[in-house]
Amino acid sequence: SSRPGADNVSPDEEFSRLDRAMAVIRTDFPTVAVSIDTFRSKVARRVVERYGPVIINDVSSGGLDPELPAAAAEWGAPYVAMHMRGTPQDMQQHIDYEGEVADEVIAWFARKLDTFRDLGLHDVILDPGFGFSKTTEQNYALLARLSDLQILERPVLAGLSRKSMIWKPLGCTPAEALNGTTALHWEALCQGASILRVHDVREAVETIRLFQCFPASGFFSSQGQKITKTTKT
């Protein structure tokens, strides 16, 4: 797990967990697109060699293993780059931003995209990393300006589902955070998110279907900026 404070596991243990899941998925759904969550190039390579093409979801954007973005470029794999400082074990100690969090996240991604471009990695999805190296207040400040990431001309993934930025302000548990999750999913769509990473698939799909009922010409973000609607996943 890459949740705050999660225990680290060995590469062999990580691959063992992925191997068990991938074996089932590839047996029952051989053509479905699969995203693997790893920041280790050796783990990703073992998965690709055994199961074929996958999407690489790297919570460190190459910060914990610089070889992973290069490997994704080599395989032609879509690559989810997430904003995080430090490691999952200590990231909540790295929450001091000199300016507005959204400005720093955008500048950080711009530098990363330059590096990826030099590696030949172009199929990049940006995940601003809600809950990673950010306080609750910083998470909401970032969400309010999520549409600003469109300046980087890459799809944006929003991972908000049942996170502490929802259940802490509501004084509930993660299990009780579906309603708040749906509310923030709607805002993320308003802000131009192209992908939602969710726990509750049916509820998320229903939210997207209703969002798509709105005329594209009449949709604005909470900041009053015009949003170009795209196909949501």
Side-chain angles (χ1 to χ4, degrees):
S1 175
S2 56
R3 71 184 184 279
D7 292 335
N8 197 11
V9 299
S10 69
D12 286 342
E13 173 62 22
E14 182 180 348
F15 175 74
S16 175
R17 297 177 185 184
L18 282 168
D19 190 35
R20 292 195 297 270
M22 289 295 296
V24 174
I25 294 168
R26 282 291 178 249
T27 298
D28 294 346
F29 305 98
T31 61
V32 71
V34 178
S35 170
I36 65 167
D37 186 353
T38 185
F39 52 77
R40 294 178 168 127
S41 58
K42 291 182 179 179
V43 171
R45 187 174 295 277
R46 291 174 71 181
V47 173
V48 170
E49 289 174 350
R50 180 167 296 187
Y51 296 104
V54 293
I55 301 166
I56 305 298
N57 184 7
D58 181 1
V59 297
S60 76
S61 295
L64 298 178
D65 184 349
E67 294 184 11
L68 185 51
E74 172 191 337
W75 304 323
Y79 182 81
V80 180
M82 196 191 78
H83 177 270
M84 178 182 70
R85 292 171 159 187
T87 70
Q89 289 71 45
D90 67 8
M91 61 185 173
Q92 290 309 105
Q93 300 173 27
H94 302 280
I95 55 175
D96 294 327
Y97 294 85
E98 293 182 2
E100 291 194 25
V101 62
D103 291 333
E104 294 208 21
V105 169
I106 292 169
W108 186 89
F109 274 133
R111 294 191 295 271
K112 287 289 183 180
L113 288 171
D114 285 342
T115 300
F116 298 158
R117 194 176 299 111
D118 291 342
L119 294 171
L121 178 59
H122 303 289
D123 191 356
V124 179
I125 298 160
L126 305 181
D127 178 352
F130 292 107
F132 289 78
S133 312
K134 300 167 189 76
T135 65
T136 296
E137 293 76 14
Q138 289 166 343
N139 285 320
Y140 280 98
L142 181 58
L143 178 59
R145 291 185 53 197
L146 191 65
S147 61
D148 289 357
L149 268 69
Q150 293 188 13
I151 194 174
L152 299 172
E153 299 182 335
R154 294 292 188 278
V156 173
L157 181 154
L160 295 157
S161 182
R162 298 184 182 269
K163 288 194 170 177
S164 64
M165 64 181 287
I166 299 170
W167 54 263
K168 282 185 177 179
L170 295 178
C172 64
T173 66
E176 299 168 322
L178 175 57
N179 189 50
T181 294
T182 299
L184 295 198
H185 280 166
W186 184 270
E187 176 61 16
L189 295 173
C190 291
Q191 293 279 348
S194 296
I195 303 171
L196 301 178
R197 185 171 61 233
V198 308
H199 296 93
D200 308 281
V201 176
R202 176 178 176 175
E203 290 81 357
V205 169
E206 290 176 347
T207 301
I208 292 167
R209 286 179 177 171
L210 293 178
F211 177 81
Q212 291 176 329
C213 290
F214 282 81
S217 60
F219 222 89
F220 293 82
S221 75
S222 61
Q223 302 298 306
Q225 297 167 301
K226 190 68 170 289
I227 296 298
T228 300
K229 290 181 69 176
T230 57
T231 300
K232 306 298 187 293
T233 302

